[in-house]
Amino acid sequence: MTVGWVDVDGERYPATDGEKVRDERVVDGLRLWHPRRSKASAALVKGVDIPLEDARVLYLGGGAGTTPSYFADAARAVYAVEFAPSPASRLVDVAGTRDRLFPVFADARKPSVYAGIVEGVDVLYQDVATRGQADVAVKNAPFVRDGGRVYVVVKARSEDVTAEPEEKYEEVADRMEDAYDVDRTVDLSPFYDDHAVVIARR
Ligand SMILES: C[S@@+](CC[C@H](N)C(=O)[O-])C[C@H]1O[C@@H](n2cnc3c(N)ncnc32)[C@H](O)[C@@H]1O
């Protein structure tokens, strides 16, 4: 249950030892976690530490389950919240391949819906890519244990297509201070344009 690293064509990539779920490459028995296919991988490649081993994780914006599947290879439990029916159905399929991945079909702006099943998580990871990204993170703060780690992917264009991305990252980080101690913001280029991850602690 660890995130390892593999060398391919002169580059280092994160990798996990779970069952393959899409067309990802498998190198030396490990699933290559490509930074252009997952913002969490891009963050890891850029030196961000995401302590997944044995962690309980609340994952907001689970999508079709690609990144949640990697998280579930390393973590103790991953609760992946997704509200759109089509990705949610693919997330459910991926969860069928992982004992530690629990899909939650709900709106992350209404966390009371899943309050009965999620509590005291070590890691909150959010990738909702919609307007109001900071509000979602603040609303979900009560689920994070004291000292828990928080990673909020900010898609600047989801907040305002005309604004400078840095301005939006700063706005999100400022608003997150209502519930967290913000540590730093890491830009995810060159893997993702106009995306950054705000790193904080509860
Ligand atoms: C960028 S995609 C997620 C990709 C996924 N994190 C991955 O790396 O595999 C963003 C997802 O967040 C979902 N989403 C957006 N707002 C949401 C909300 N309020 N509650 C739950 N899911 C939401 C969208 O439906 C979409 O599937």
Side-chain angles (χ1 to χ4, degrees):
M1 292 211 296
T2 57
V3 177
W5 292 83
V6 293
D7 293 315
V8 179
D9 305 331
E11 302 282 345
R12 291 194 85 209
Y13 297 99
T16 64
D17 63 358
E19 187 183 324
K20 182 172 167 158
V21 299
R22 305 248 189 270
D23 59 351
E24 69 271 23
R25 277 179 78 173
V26 175
V27 181
D28 297 335
L30 298 175
R31 301 172 69 207
L32 198 144
W33 189 0
H34 202 287
R36 290 196 186 277
R37 289 182 166 203
S38 164
K39 285 150 232 160
S41 171
L44 291 169
V45 170
K46 295 206 71 168
V48 173
D49 173 40
I50 309 179
L52 292 174
E53 281 78 26
D54 272 333
R56 284 164 50 82
V57 180
L58 175 58
Y59 190 121
L60 305 176
T66 305
T67 303
S69 74
Y70 287 99
F71 275 41
D73 287 342
R76 176 148 45 111
V78 179
Y79 301 94
V81 178
E82 172 56 54
F83 75 167
S86 172
S89 122
R90 297 175 68 198
L91 172 64
V92 167
D93 288 345
V94 171
T97 69
R98 298 283 185 290
D99 287 345
R100 300 188 295 269
L101 176 55
F102 306 98
V104 181
F105 187 35
D107 185 340
R109 292 167 301 188
K110 297 176 182 153
S112 58
V113 173
Y114 45 89
I117 48 170
V118 179
E119 89 181 286
V121 299
D122 306 296
V123 173
L124 169 69
Y125 181 89
Q126 177 182 309
D127 178 20
V128 293
T130 49
R131 199 182 176 98
Q133 293 161 105
D135 281 346
V136 173
V138 168
K139 278 187 176 164
N140 283 271
F143 296 118
V144 188
R145 69 162 171 80
D146 277 355
R149 310 279 277 266
V150 177
Y151 303 83
V152 174
V153 174
V154 182
K155 182 177 180 183
R157 305 262 175 239
S158 293
E159 299 292 338
D160 181 347
V161 283
T162 61
E164 282 301 315
E166 287 71 21
E167 204 181 294
K168 291 293 129 189
Y169 304 153
E170 208 173 310
E171 269 179 35
V172 170
D174 282 352
R175 168 87 172 94
M176 282 174 59
E177 289 280 3
D178 289 353
Y180 306 105
D181 285 334
V182 174
D183 175 17
R184 63 192 172 116
T185 298
V186 176
D187 193 296
L188 295 181
S189 62
F191 306 110
Y192 294 90
D193 291 336
D194 305 326
H195 284 73
V197 58
V198 179
I199 302 164
R201 269 184 196 265
R202 178 74 169 132

